[in-house]
Amino acid sequence: MTTTLVFDGRMGASGDMLLAALIDAGASVTALEPIEDALEVEYRIGSTTKCGIAATTVDVLLTGEETASHGHEHDHQHERDHSHGDSHSHNHHEDTHDHGHGHHGEDDHDHGHGHHGEDDHDHGHGHHGEDDHDHGHGHHGEDDHDHGHVHAEGHGPHRSYLEVREIVEGMDLESDIESTAIAIFERLGKAEASVHGTDLESIHFHEVGADDAIADIVGAVALLADLAVEQVVTTPLSVGGGTRSMSHGEYPIPAPAVLEIVERADWAIAGGPVETELLTPTGAAILAEVADGVDTLPSMQVDKTGYGAGGYDLDPHPNVLRALLASRGGDRSLERDDIAVLETNLDDVAPEVLGGLHQRLGEVGARDVSIVPLTMKKSRPGHLVKVICKPEDRDAVARRLAEETGTLGIRETGASHRWIANRAFETVSLEVAGDTYDVTVKIGSDNDGEVYDVSAEYDDVAAVAAETGEPIRSIARRAEAAYDDEY
């Protein structure tokens, strides 16, 4: 059986929503301790309800020497935010420079999921909404400083990608957690670099380089490792809708950095279901690194469900990220293989050319070629050619397909992956009329090593049949039975 974590992306995702959903799904908060020690922050875990759904909340608080100086500033900021409301929140997040996430309106939503809470700073992480302290979230209200802590959101220097990488490498994390976290920051850096027309080394993160952002990303990876899942998938992630006022103008949602990340992700996005921003660059980057895409919730045995709260109260939509911890087995535990599928319609190609496509396309990376007869316009007979290849080979395969057939157009279909068996070959010995013959058989098994198919190789079977006069089907059955007896 394979343990799978499934995210339900219908209300988008942010860094803190991912933290909360993973904890609610059973990840141990002790996995966060190395990050708290390294950054001098505290993960404050709480609870709230969204449209009647009980959900977990996570905030990142400063605990180090900077706390006292930030506390006074936060007091005044808290008062200003309450007096200015939503307009202040937007103005604050527009005041950024070219190398930050702020010009995309990303400051507030990277880690605070600000698009989900109008008074982002009223309660620290505005994504928990204005009534969070009704649910026991003292850290969201005026008693933040009674505990000697203030919210880490937005505090800390603007750091370069290399500086953030150095901080992560100094946390003494397990190697897989460290490498995955660094890869997520690299995705964010490359997205920003692409938007600004520069390179990774020149990018300085704004909010994404602050302590709370690092805590969100590294924390999500650590919690995911604690769950020890073998596969992570997500349904299409909702991005919301509408526009946001940013430092460079009025931009449609999703923000440019989000789109850059999405282009390199395996999963899909969807608009709506509300006119506000739902998917943040941090949430997108984490899921782009760790999750594969599925169209709908897969067939599975659900073992645990977790809910991570987002910001606005978006009645009638429960503003939560749902995580399902599930067991999947049988044909669901086959190897997942990323692919591209190319196809073209042909109505004027000679049979000899069609017959040679398997070999010619295979030379440049095609894994499988299918040719299907069809009826085309004006009732002319034609053929549909479908080619499966690895994503990195599609340009070469498309070029060779055009050269071989003369087609003027090749399309890529929506398929992005397939599930394949683990394949092995064994040789069995058969005795026929007193003589011994070797026959190769192909064994198909799933990721758990369970064999579900044994097939004799045709060329070997045909050779034995030709020499002995026995039917091909008979030799094949005997070879497959010989494997079952021996193994």
Side-chain angles (χ1 to χ4, degrees):
M1 301 294 286
T2 300
T3 303
T4 300
L5 182 66
V6 183
F7 286 110
D8 183 348
R10 69 188 66 197
M11 292 305 294
S14 66
D16 57 315
M17 290 175 78
L18 285 162
L19 290 173
L22 291 169
I23 290 171
D24 208 40
S28 174
V29 294
T30 60
L32 302 174
E33 290 176 357
I35 306 161
E36 291 180 317
D37 294 340
L39 292 177
E40 294 188 330
V41 298
E42 175 190 332
Y43 292 92
R44 184 71 62 83
I45 314 302
S47 61
T48 188
T49 59
K50 296 292 181 182
C51 292
I53 301 295
T56 293
T57 62
V58 176
D59 284 290
V60 180
L61 307 180
L62 294 175
T63 61
E65 295 179 359
E66 293 180 302
T67 302
S69 62
H70 284 309
H72 182 69
E73 173 188 343
H74 178 89
D75 252 346
H76 290 288
Q77 183 66 59
H78 179 74
E79 294 169 6
R80 288 195 301 269
D81 289 341
H82 272 292
S83 64
H84 293 292
D86 187 57
S87 62
H88 174 85
S89 174
H90 282 263
N91 290 338
H92 171 76
H93 295 302
E94 291 164 29
D95 186 20
T96 60
H97 56 73
D98 286 346
H99 297 293
H101 276 58
H103 65 286
H104 296 309
E106 293 149 23
D107 300 8
D108 53 346
H109 60 72
D110 274 352
H111 311 288
H113 221 45
H115 60 283
H116 288 153
E118 295 156 279
D119 48 351
D120 291 49
H121 299 282
D122 290 354
H123 309 291
H125 278 49
H127 56 283
H128 293 302
E130 53 272 22
D131 59 348
D132 282 345
H133 37 109
D134 293 342
H135 304 285
H137 290 276
H139 60 290
H140 283 160
E142 57 279 356
D143 59 345
D144 279 6
H145 315 298
D146 294 340
H147 300 285
H149 298 159
V150 297
H151 286 277
E153 181 182 5
H155 291 312
H158 301 174
R159 298 184 176 107
S160 70
Y161 163 74
L162 295 178
E163 289 172 327
V164 171
R165 177 171 183 148
E166 184 177 353
I167 290 172
V168 175
E169 290 174 339
M171 287 185 178
D172 194 27
L173 303 167
E174 294 181 11
S175 59
D176 58 337
I177 296 175
E178 177 184 299
S179 60
T180 302
I182 289 173
I184 292 168
F185 276 107
E186 184 174 334
R187 284 181 183 268
L188 282 165
K190 288 182 176 178
E192 284 294 321
S194 178
V195 169
H196 296 304
T198 184
D199 54 44
L200 183 62
E201 288 71 22
S202 302
I203 282 296
H204 278 70
F205 296 123
H206 181 41
E207 291 292 319
V208 180
D211 287 346
D212 70 312
I214 299 174
D216 278 356
I217 291 173
V218 183
V221 178
L223 292 173
L224 191 58
D226 183 73
L227 288 176
V229 297
E230 298 169 72
Q231 184 182 28
V232 181
V233 300
T234 182
T235 61
L237 287 154
S238 295
V239 297
T243 62
R244 279 296 302 270
S245 295
M246 304 175 192
S247 59
H248 298 289
E250 190 82 6
Y251 279 82
I253 293 170
V258 171
L259 286 178
E260 289 291 332
I261 294 167
V262 167
E263 285 183 18
R264 295 163 179 81
D266 178 75
W267 33 262
I269 59 173
V274 294
E275 288 293 291
T276 191
E277 192 166 33
L278 297 180
L279 180 61
T280 74
T282 299
I286 293 171
L287 291 175
E289 184 64 30
V290 304
D292 298 320
V294 292
D295 293 332
T296 59
L297 294 178
S299 299
M300 57 190 171
Q301 178 64 49
V302 178
D303 301 318
K304 177 73 174 176
T305 303
Y307 294 92
Y312 280 150
D313 291 327
L314 300 175
D315 188 28
H317 304 283
N319 191 16
V320 294
L321 174 64
R322 181 166 64 176
L324 309 175
L325 199 61
S327 300
R328 302 171 67 185
D331 62 355
R332 294 290 182 176
S333 59
L334 298 178
E335 185 72 20
R336 186 183 184 281
D337 185 35
D338 293 334
I339 59 168
V341 180
L342 308 178
E343 62 180 38
T344 187
N345 292 356
L346 305 171
D347 64 357
D348 58 353
V349 177
E352 295 83 2
V353 171
L354 293 174
L357 284 179
H358 294 78
Q359 177 183 341
R360 295 289 288 156
L361 296 177
E363 293 170 357
V364 291
R367 302 303 177 94
D368 191 26
V369 179
S370 301
I371 302 174
V372 183
L374 52 78
T375 300
M376 299 182 64
K377 62 184 179 181
K378 299 182 180 179
S379 299
R380 292 194 297 238
H383 295 86
L384 170 65
V385 179
K386 296 177 70 75
V387 186
I388 296 175
C389 63
K390 298 296 290 181
E392 59 268 25
D393 295 327
R394 57 188 158 198
D395 288 344
V397 171
R399 174 74 182 192
R400 179 64 62 87
L401 179 58
E403 291 174 342
E404 291 293 324
T405 64
T407 181
L408 300 179
I410 297 168
R411 56 192 175 271
E412 182 174 357
T413 67
S416 62
H417 51 264
R418 61 177 177 173
W419 280 267
I420 58 175
N422 294 308
R423 306 170 193 188
F425 295 88
E426 300 288 349
T427 300
V428 299
S429 297
L430 296 181
E431 186 174 323
V432 182
D435 293 321
T436 301
Y437 301 90
D438 288 339
V439 177
T440 301
V441 293
K442 180 167 59 178
I443 298 92
S445 63
D446 63 20
N447 287 340
D448 299 321
E450 182 177 348
V451 175
Y452 69 88
D453 184 70
V454 177
S455 301
E457 289 290 274
Y458 176 80
D459 289 346
D460 288 0
V461 170
V464 174
E467 189 167 339
T468 63
E470 293 287 324
I472 287 178
R473 291 196 304 164
S474 175
I475 298 298
R477 282 196 296 264
R478 291 182 60 182
E480 291 158 6
Y483 172 83
D484 291 336
D485 292 342
E486 186 172 348
Y487 294 94

